[in-house]
Amino acid sequence: MSGPKPLVVVGDVLLDEDVEGTATRLSPDAPAPVVDVTGDRRRPGGAGLAAALAARDGREVTLVTALGDDPASDAVRRALSGRVRLVELPLEGSLPVKTRVLASGRPLVRVDRGGGTPGEPDAAVRDALTGAHAVLVADYGRRTADAVREDLAALAPRVPLVWDPHPKGDAPVAGARLVTPNAAETRALCPDGSDAQDCGVTLRAYARRGAELAERWQAAGVAVTLGERGVLLTSPGCGTPMLVPPPYRATGDPCGAGDCFAAVTAAALADGALPEEALQRAVAEAAAFVSAGGAGNHDLWRTTPAHREVPDTSSTDAFALAARVRARGGTVVATGGCFDLLHAGHVGLLESARRIGDCLIVCLNSDASLTRRKGPGRPLNREADRVRVLEALGSVDAVAVFAQDTPQELLTRLRPDVWVKGGDYSVQDLPEARTLRAWGGQAVVLPYLDGRSTTQLARRAAAAVARTGPTAP
């Protein structure tokens, strides 16, 4: 399997500075908080942050940006050294510096200073763009993208190009694969796109703006980022947009989340992902980025970039859940099976089992275990899909997978108070009953809907195909 594909990031680099402290009193000469400084940190922002984030998985990243001879530009060069390859345009003036003053982690004020104008690109800049396999434009309205606009326009028809726009910047070049404005930017760019009924902040309003911008910019798609609601993907003339929600509600510092989203989107497209797949990955990565502290995360710039897995927050740890329920005196209920093709009998059993106690944990046969039990051709649905379907049920609190033929070993670790099986068993026939007695647990049998089983459903489906023939894809 090939590794991550190279990416070129084009855009405006800033120097971000956080001055951190505590505020416990007001100034005697003005109604303003006094911040006792405990530390300060400086790091690349804008396109510099996007490039560094794109390089975290070992990807080769080239950053085309304007840097000067000022101390802020030197600080950016040092921070990016060993992470990305820098290809510079001259900067007439000084690099912009954004300083946030935070008290107990909360921003009090931001101070902006500096600024310059990018000069003409040289041969090295043009060579870097000509050889690009994919491009991310991180536009912060400081004219770097404008300086190489002709080169970007030539690239758009033949390589994936993601443009993260800014209200003060130029419009994206025609043919961009995705443009990624945030909600506020779409409102600024389409000031007449709202109406009295929706106040301009409904999904319908953002879908209308996204489609309008896609047509205006001649972009294949516009992905409007909506914070905790996720991302809305629109296209020119598209009547029904796609909403990609985050996998969980992220709490933390959102500073830099847009750069993370754009960087991951461009990287995924470079690796061959479809736009929908790229956005799903980017939404999940951005949520993890925010939860880890955003651009202010102390660990982000400490070490050489290395691959970081997105934490799997979609699943509840069954053992931790059981321990919490037992600690507060609750009843842990467990049941088990293959659940290869979920049907009404399964749903009824799980709902009844959940009502017995304070949580329900499903012990699920792994793919190999299910094949040994049911024979060749099974499972019909792979393990990950079966877990996801079960976790989506309101009656199921957690799923634990076991690879053995029976769940005894898992039950010994889980130690549920009640073990539940459907009515086609008797307690005397359950080997799990003896296991549960070791810690005072109880096995029970619940009524089960007759005539419902995965095997019967599979047979009926096979018979229907034999009668009518397979449907065309």
Side-chain angles (χ1 to χ4, degrees):
M1 181 177 178
S2 58
K5 298 297 189 296
L7 177 67
V8 174
V9 177
V10 178
D12 309 304
V13 171
L14 318 169
L15 182 64
D16 286 343
E17 182 179 40
D18 282 350
V19 178
E20 299 175 324
T22 58
T24 59
R25 66 193 191 279
L26 294 177
S27 172
D29 55 353
V34 175
V35 178
D36 294 313
V37 175
T38 58
D40 60 84
R41 289 177 294 112
R42 309 177 91 195
R43 60 184 181 273
L49 175 61
L53 293 173
R56 283 188 299 173
D57 60 358
R59 185 181 308 275
E60 178 187 330
V61 176
T62 298
L63 174 58
V64 176
T65 192
L67 294 173
D69 297 327
D70 55 295
S73 294
D74 290 338
V76 164
R77 292 187 183 95
R78 289 193 299 271
L80 293 176
S81 176
R83 297 174 182 273
V84 304
R85 171 177 170 249
L86 274 173
V87 178
E88 299 182 19
L89 285 78
L91 180 66
E92 299 171 9
S94 61
L95 197 71
V97 180
K98 297 192 307 181
T99 303
R100 294 192 307 169
V101 180
L102 303 98
S104 301
R106 294 180 178 275
L108 292 181
V109 67
R110 196 183 92 182
V111 179
D112 291 1
R113 59 187 185 274
T117 303
E120 290 296 319
D122 60 12
V125 171
R126 299 194 184 283
D127 289 345
L129 291 172
T130 302
H133 294 81
V135 176
L136 166 63
V137 178
D139 186 3
Y140 274 74
R142 302 281 180 167
R143 318 306 296 177
T144 300
D146 184 57
V148 293
R149 187 174 182 84
E150 291 184 5
D151 302 273
L152 295 173
L155 282 172
R158 61 182 181 85
V159 303
L161 188 148
V162 175
W163 195 294
D164 191 9
H166 192 280
K168 294 182 179 180
D170 286 337
V173 297
R177 185 74 56 88
L178 282 174
V179 185
T180 61
N182 62 32
E185 288 164 349
T186 63
R187 294 196 299 270
L189 291 163
C190 300
D192 299 324
S194 62
D195 57 48
Q197 288 182 329
D198 60 30
C199 300
V201 294
T202 64
L203 290 178
R204 181 179 66 173
Y206 287 120
R208 184 170 58 246
R209 293 190 191 98
E212 178 184 332
L213 291 171
E215 291 183 5
R216 182 192 305 177
W217 291 333
Q218 300 179 53
V222 168
V224 183
T225 58
L226 302 174
E228 63 184 25
R229 285 197 282 180
V231 173
L232 195 67
L233 175 60
T234 62
S235 58
C238 175
T240 304
M242 173 180 286
L243 180 64
V244 183
Y248 58 97
R249 185 184 179 91
T251 57
D253 188 350
C255 181
D259 296 304
C260 178
F261 173 81
V264 175
T265 299
L269 291 177
D271 293 341
L274 296 173
E276 294 83 355
E277 296 171 327
L279 293 178
Q280 286 181 326
R281 175 179 164 189
V283 168
E285 286 273 8
F289 176 79
V290 170
S291 295
N297 180 4
H298 290 259
D299 295 328
L300 193 60
W301 300 97
R302 283 180 177 171
T303 58
T304 301
H307 180 63
R308 179 188 55 81
E309 296 289 344
V310 179
D312 182 7
T313 57
S314 60
S315 299
T316 299
D317 182 84
F319 300 100
L321 172 65
R324 289 197 302 270
V325 172
R326 275 196 297 268
R328 62 174 185 258
T331 299
V332 178
V333 182
T335 189
C338 301
F339 298 96
D340 194 8
L341 192 60
L342 202 67
H343 52 72
H346 291 142
V347 173
L349 171 68
L350 294 170
E351 289 176 341
S352 298
R354 181 60 179 84
R355 289 193 290 268
I356 293 174
D358 299 286
C359 72
L360 174 62
I361 298 170
V362 175
C363 301
L364 185 70
N365 291 78
S366 69
D367 287 346
S369 173
L370 195 156
T371 301
R372 291 194 300 269
R373 180 174 176 181
K374 299 294 185 179
R378 299 285 295 275
L380 301 173
N381 287 305
R382 61 181 184 174
E383 179 183 304
D385 292 342
R386 291 183 286 130
V387 169
R388 184 172 183 181
V389 170
L390 286 167
E391 288 179 335
L393 297 178
S395 56
V396 176
D397 296 289
V399 178
V401 178
F402 63 93
Q404 297 76 22
D405 293 335
T406 66
Q408 265 93 332
E409 181 178 329
L410 176 58
L411 290 175
T412 301
R413 296 173 56 206
L414 200 59
R415 297 174 70 86
D417 301 293
V418 182
W419 172 254
V420 173
K421 291 298 286 187
D424 50 350
Y425 293 90
S426 68
V427 173
Q428 290 78 13
D429 297 333
L430 292 176
E432 298 93 343
R434 187 181 309 109
T435 303
L436 264 76
R437 284 197 290 269
W439 56 84
Q442 177 64 53
V444 300
V445 174
L446 294 182
Y448 196 79
L449 289 175
D450 291 333
R452 276 83 167 181
S453 77
T454 300
T455 301
Q456 291 178 9
L457 286 174
R459 287 173 179 169
R460 287 204 296 270
V465 171
R467 288 194 305 271
T468 63
T471 57

